Every structure is written in structure tokens, then in C-alpha cells.
């Protein structure tokens, strides 16, 4: 009764005519069971989501301008070509070239990267177009690089021309300490496992399971348009509405209520199932105007720059962190039977997510935040309760003097 079941049976029968019918039925039945499990409908007590994909983005060079897509393929590291290139310090510190982002160099947002199979073309205001080979003709030089606490990552150095071009744009001609280099995670020895604190055990231990490229912490980021609208409603009176680009998501969801994505734990979009693993804590990159490179120009009522001030005012703070958006990990690789079914149907082996795809919510649960932020919030709450109890005891003692 299932179209995928019939297609798989026909494909197996045609491709292996001599196969034992029992084996064919067992394989096809297993594939059908897998499809049913992966496409599980929400339980009766779970609200049906009407969310869909409004937009898709990749950021070819970490912290540089995004590229909007109609469809995005996925591989082990997330969306293909997303944050596979990165700007790093020219000089190593502690044996590692450190990642450079808009936190240190806000004008990186003005650098655009156009990718093809062999080259990346870099452009920026006042700079000539530069084509950088992704596979340098000379023997590849590898650097050890750092992204936050992940050190010793093996990256391919993309050469002197890219280093000089980027360094000049960032002002290293006058300030040599700002010299940088451009690297790629295309090294065969590149490996960056998922954060064990948040990634599901089954994915961390899966053979050929998902990893992270040069993204801050997780392969993908999702934000809903409703959440952005709610945030813009909390901005100070003088602030213009923030565009989605301030928050640099990969997947923009529409058709849900504000911050509904915080309650999603497992979702399916297009060909792929995703785990929603943790809220995204936000930093001063969100205070950078992505059109001008100006940073921190608007201050909220609490003296913090916008939109960080508005996020805390909207109750998005946990401890010293504020959160906006959800980090995703894709269930990679696709199960063997599903890959076989795709092969038999002549479909691409890399799964695809498209703009307009429905977001099917498979599981819901309470939001997950950084463990350190939660502990900090718990300690602050305990201190407040202790202080309140002490004040109350002092008031009772003071009142007893007059009885």
C-alpha cells in the first residue's frame, strides 16, 4: 500500500532478478519500516506544526557574507560549502592559527565569496576580484588551526595571494598584527567531532557520523521569522527592525509561533532528519550591521548593544548568556536501506533540503541551553533566595524587639 515500498520492490526485482523473493521482501519490508519510523507523525497530544522553510543560506567563508540558495545538499559536515573556508591569524599562538571572525574584524561581513568547483572568487569594497584555487597547484601546505576550544584542526592553506588580499582589506598594511590567512577544511586529515555534551550518543558513535566544519559549534542553525518579529518588537524605540542576516542562520522557518523552534527536539525537512540539540547563545556579531560593518552603534535601555539588550528584555537570557535560534545536527549518514532505495530510484546520494519544504516536527521537549549558563542561573537564583530569606529573618528579628 506504500508507494516507497512498491518502488523499492520493483527496483530490487529489476536490479537483482535472481534474488530470492524472501530476501527481497525482507529488505523491502525493512526499508518500509525505516521510512515509517523516520516519518513518524506527532503523537495525538503534540500540536501539529505548519512550519516550512522560508529561506536557506550558506556562508562559504566563516564570518563573511552569506549566499541564499533555493536548495541545499548535505554531507557529513552540514550544508555543502557552508563554512568550509575560514580566516585565521597569520601567526600561530600555542601552535595554532586562531580563527578570526567579525568579533575581531567586523568588516569581514563585507567580503563576498562565490564558489565554483575549482576556485573561490573573493570580492569586497575597494578591492579587485580575486580568484583563489581551492586546490593549490603547489604541494598543499597544512596549518594547525583553532576554533574556540577545538585545537589542532588540520586545514589547507590557500596561499599567499588570498592572505595578502584579505590582510590588505583588513588594514594590515598599517597594522601588521592584523595579517591573516585563508584556510580550507578540505584536508583529508580534517576531523572535528560534535560536542559530546549535547550531541546524541547515537550520532557521535555512528560510523561516518556527522561532524562540524568551521562553524562555531554545530553544523546548522535554524531561526523562525516569527521569533525575529517578536525580537524586533522588543527593540528600543529608536532601533530599526533587525534583518535575519544579523543572526546568520542556515535555515529560516516560517509558519510557526514565536520561539516555537525552542521546543523542537527532532524534525524532518526534505530528505533529512535533524536533531535540535541546543539553543544558540549570541555574541557581539549580532550587533554588526551586515551591510556596513559598523558594530555596536545602537545601545538599549540597559546600556548593552542591540539586539543583545532586547533579547534579555524579551526573557531570552539564561545566566550571562542570551539565546536566539537553535543549533541542529543532521542524522548522518542516511541509513543503508534508505541509501539503497535512493540509488534504485536514481536519486542523488546527497540528501537535499529545499525552500518551501515542510518542517515536520517528530519530537518536542523543553529547551536546552548551555550547561554553564544554566548552572550560573541556578547559582544566581540560590543567592537571591538566600538573600531574601536573610532579609525576612532580619525583619522578623527586628519586629520581635517591639513585642
Amino acid at each position: 500500500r506504500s508507494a516507497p515500498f512498491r518502488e523499492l520492490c520493483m527496483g530490487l526485482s529489476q536490479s537483482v532478478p535472481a534474488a530470492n523473493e524472501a530476501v527481497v521482501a525482507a529488505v523491502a519490508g525493512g526499508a518500509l519500516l525505516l521510512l515509517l519510523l523516520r516519518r513518524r507523525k506527532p503523537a495525538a497530544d503534540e500540536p501539529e506544526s505548519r512550519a516550512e522553510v522560508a529561506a536557506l543560506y550558506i556562508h562559504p567563508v566563516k564570518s563573511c557574507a552569506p549566499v541564499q540558495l533555493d536548495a541545499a545538499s548535505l554531507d557529513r559536515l552540514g550544508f555543502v560549502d557552508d563554512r568550509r573556508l575560514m580566516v585565521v591569524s597569520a601567526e600561530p599562538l600555542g601552535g595554532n592559527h586562531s580563527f578570526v571572525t567579525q568579533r575581531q574584524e567586523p568588516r569581514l561581513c563585507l567580503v563576498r565569496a562565490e564558489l565554483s568547483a575549482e576556485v573561490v572568487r573573493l570580492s569586497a569594497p575597494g578591492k579587485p576580484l580575486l580568484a583563489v584555487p581551492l586546490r593549490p597547484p603547489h604541494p598543499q601546505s597544512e596549518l594547525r588551526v583553532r576554533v574556540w576550544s577545538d585545537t589542532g584542526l588540520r586545514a589547507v592553506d590557500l596561499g599567499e595571494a588570498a592572505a595578502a588580499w584579505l590582510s590588505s582589506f583588513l588594514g594590515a598594511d598599517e597594522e601588521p598584527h592584523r595579517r591573516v590567512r585563508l584556510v580550507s577544511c578540505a584536508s583529508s586529515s580534517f576531523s572535528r567531532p560534535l560536542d559530546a555534551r549535547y550531541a546524541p550518543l547515537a550520532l557521535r558513535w555512528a560510523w561516518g557520523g556527522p561532524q562540524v566544519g568551521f562553524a562555531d559549534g554545530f553544523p546548522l542553525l535554524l531561526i523562525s521569522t516569527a521569533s525575529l518579529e517578536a525580537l524586533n518588537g522588543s527593540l528600543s524605540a529608536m532601533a530599526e527592525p533587525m534583518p535575519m542576516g544579523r543572526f546568520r542562520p542556515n535555515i529560516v522557518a516560517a509558519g510557526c509561533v514565536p520561539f516555537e523552534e525552542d521546543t523542537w527536539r527532532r524534525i524532518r525537512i526534505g530528505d533529512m532528519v535533524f536533531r535540535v540539540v541546543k539553543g544558540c547563545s549570541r555574541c557581539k556579531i549580532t550587533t554588526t550591521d551586515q551591510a556596513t560593518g559598523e558594530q555596536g552603534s545602537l545601545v538599549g535601555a540597559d546600556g548593552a548593544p542591540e539586539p543583545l539588550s532586547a533579547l534579555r528584555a524579551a526573557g531570552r537570557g539564561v545566566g550571562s548568556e542570551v539565546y536566539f535560534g537553535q543549533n541542529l545536527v543532521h542524522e548522518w549518514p542516511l541509513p543503508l536501506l534508505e541509501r539503497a532505495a535512493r540509488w534504485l530510484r536514481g536519486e542523488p546520494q546527497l540528501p537535499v533540503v529545499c525552500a518551501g519544504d515542510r518542517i515536520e516536527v517528530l519530537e518536542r521537549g523543553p529547551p536546552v541551553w548551555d550547561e554553564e549558563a544554566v548552572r550560573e542561573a541556578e547559582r544566581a537564583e540560590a543567592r537571591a533566595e538566600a538573600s531574601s530569606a536573610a532579609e525576612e529573618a532580619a525583619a522578623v528579628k527586628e519586629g520581635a524587639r517591639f513585642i
Side-chain angles (χ1 to χ4, degrees):
R1 298 180 184 180
S2 162
F5 180 77
R6 290 195 302 271
E7 291 174 13
L8 187 57
C9 287
M10 291 174 62
L12 284 169
S13 300
Q14 293 167 1
S15 61
V16 193
N20 182 283
E21 292 183 3
V23 174
V24 171
V27 172
L32 176 59
L33 178 61
L34 174 72
L35 289 169
L36 290 173
L37 289 173
R38 287 172 63 82
R39 296 176 184 274
R40 182 184 70 82
K41 297 296 183 183
D45 59 345
E46 293 180 4
E48 182 75 19
S49 174
R50 299 183 180 277
E52 66 178 24
V53 176
L56 298 168
Y57 296 94
I58 60 170
H59 305 78
V61 181
K62 180 179 176 67
S63 231
C64 295
V67 175
Q68 187 168 0
L69 303 176
D70 294 324
S73 299
L74 291 110
D75 62 13
R76 189 182 190 187
L77 303 181
F79 280 171
V80 172
D81 293 331
D82 181 55
R83 298 174 173 95
R84 306 300 170 88
L85 308 179
M86 180 171 69
V87 179
V88 298
S89 58
E91 300 299 327
L93 179 63
N96 291 273
H97 296 259
S98 182
F99 69 127
V100 176
T101 70
Q102 292 180 37
R103 298 173 184 86
Q104 304 97 333
E105 298 288 355
R107 295 182 73 240
L108 279 175
C109 68
L110 304 178
V111 176
R112 298 191 173 276
E114 179 185 344
L115 285 168
S116 67
E118 300 296 331
V119 300
V120 56
R121 292 177 174 84
L122 301 177
S123 61
K127 297 294 293 181
L129 184 71
L130 178 70
V132 181
L134 292 172
R135 297 175 180 83
H138 53 77
Q140 291 185 353
S141 171
E142 287 195 353
L143 301 178
R144 294 170 63 89
V145 303
R146 177 180 72 86
V147 180
W148 294 112
S149 60
D150 293 331
T151 60
L153 306 176
R154 304 303 297 242
V156 177
D157 185 357
L158 294 186
E160 296 301 330
W165 190 95
L166 283 163
S167 297
S168 174
F169 177 70
L170 296 177
D173 295 340
E174 293 77 28
E175 300 177 78
H177 69 276
R178 302 175 85 171
R179 290 187 304 114
V180 295
R181 302 193 71 82
L182 184 65
V183 299
S184 163
C185 66
S187 168
S188 59
S189 55
F190 179 86
S191 177
R192 190 178 172 211
L194 300 171
D195 188 330
R197 295 172 298 173
Y198 308 104
L201 184 65
L203 295 183
R204 289 192 284 118
W205 287 98
W207 180 265
Q211 292 199 355
V212 193
F214 289 140
D216 270 1
F218 295 92
L220 298 153
L221 176 65
L222 179 148
I223 302 175
S224 73
T225 55
S227 298
L228 179 63
E229 291 169 3
L231 170 62
N232 281 328
S234 300
L235 291 172
S236 54
M238 299 297 293
E240 294 290 327
M242 298 278 177
M244 187 64 80
R246 283 280 183 115
F247 305 96
R248 305 178 65 77
N250 296 107
I251 302 172
V252 178
C256 51
V257 301
F259 308 113
E260 181 184 339
E261 62 267 32
D262 292 349
T263 69
W264 298 345
R265 298 274 61 83
R266 191 166 178 260
I267 60 176
R268 184 182 184 99
I269 309 174
D271 296 334
M272 182 55 70
V273 175
F274 301 86
R275 302 293 183 99
V276 184
V277 293
K278 186 182 77 66
C280 182
S281 58
R282 308 315 305 225
C283 67
K284 68 178 182 179
I285 288 180
T286 61
T287 73
T288 303
D289 186 328
Q290 299 293 305
T292 66
E294 187 177 3
Q295 191 174 77
S297 59
L298 184 64
V299 177
D302 62 355
E306 294 286 22
L308 301 179
S309 174
L311 284 169
R312 191 162 292 280
R316 307 296 301 167
V318 179
S320 59
E321 303 290 342
V322 290
Y323 290 86
F324 192 67
Q326 288 290 324
N327 290 298
L328 309 184
V329 175
H330 50 312
E331 294 190 358
W332 185 269
L334 291 176
L336 180 60
L337 287 173
E338 189 164 336
R339 281 180 278 163
R342 294 175 67 85
W343 177 78
L344 289 168
R345 293 194 298 263
E347 297 177 356
Q349 285 299 293
L350 291 183
V352 177
V353 169
C354 299
D357 277 350
R358 180 190 170 201
I359 300 175
E360 182 181 1
V361 181
L362 303 177
E363 295 176 17
R364 295 178 184 267
V368 177
W369 315 118
D370 290 277
E371 292 176 354
E372 297 86 349
V374 171
R375 286 195 292 268
E376 182 183 355
E378 290 172 346
R379 289 193 296 268
E381 184 177 355
R383 287 194 298 269
E385 289 177 355
S387 176
S388 177
E391 290 176 0
E392 184 177 344
V396 170
K397 184 178 180 180
E398 183 67 19
R401 294 175 54 196
F402 298 98
I403 295 177

